[in-house]
Amino acid sequence: MQQLDADSPIVNDVRWDDPTGSLLAKIDGEIDLHVSPGMREVLMGLVDGRPVKKLVLNLEGVPYMDSSAIAVLVELLQKLRANEGRIFLCNLHERVRGLLEIARLETIFELVDSEQNALGS
């Protein structure tokens, strides 16, 4: 896997696996209306120009997210679906998992326990 520099305090440890079309990134911090535009810019920049089949976001460092973060994830998914791509969310805090389940978003995002489970899917 190739290490990429996201130049972001929120999006870090970004890796690209060209043969499988997998992009992995670790997200850190609370994602709210003030932070989500920066996260969107970085993630959109990372997927632009790459044939991403799997976007794996490790949310272990995200204790809270609001609807603006969900909007970013939905926009990313719409972009990836043009190439039949999928988004995997792993290492979710219960509060974040609960938000996604209340919004019934577990039906469009793949919620998995670990990056390894996402890559094996």
Side-chain angles (χ1 to χ4, degrees):
M1 281 203 181
Q2 175 188 6
Q3 194 77 28
L4 303 177
D5 184 16
D7 193 28
S8 167
I10 301 158
V11 181
N12 53 64
D13 190 23
V14 180
R15 293 165 279 152
W16 169 246
D17 186 50
D18 196 42
T20 64
S22 299
L23 182 66
L24 291 83
K26 189 169 187 304
I27 311 295
D28 285 317
E30 294 187 357
I31 311 299
D32 60 18
L33 186 59
H34 302 288
V35 174
S36 59
M39 182 180 80
R40 178 196 177 279
E41 181 179 340
V42 170
L43 291 173
M44 286 294 191
L46 288 167
V47 300
D48 276 345
R50 287 190 176 87
V52 178
K53 295 294 181 190
K54 287 184 182 181
L55 175 59
V56 181
L57 298 177
N58 184 335
L59 300 179
E60 182 177 19
V62 180
Y64 170 81
M65 70 168 50
D66 67 9
S67 60
S68 68
I70 291 174
V72 170
L73 295 176
V74 169
E75 186 178 2
L76 277 167
L77 183 61
Q78 289 173 335
K79 184 174 188 72
L80 293 182
R81 282 191 170 165
N83 292 322
E84 298 178 17
R86 304 179 335 190
I87 294 181
F88 292 81
L89 306 176
C90 65
N91 297 323
L92 299 167
H93 287 257
E94 281 303 313
R95 187 174 185 182
V96 172
R97 181 181 288 276
L99 176 66
L100 293 168
E101 289 173 350
I102 286 171
R104 297 186 174 247
L105 294 174
E106 79 278 9
T107 60
I108 64 169
F109 298 112
E110 313 265 348
L111 308 184
V112 295
D113 293 333
S114 67
E115 289 180 4
Q116 292 79 16
N117 288 348
L119 293 174
S121 295

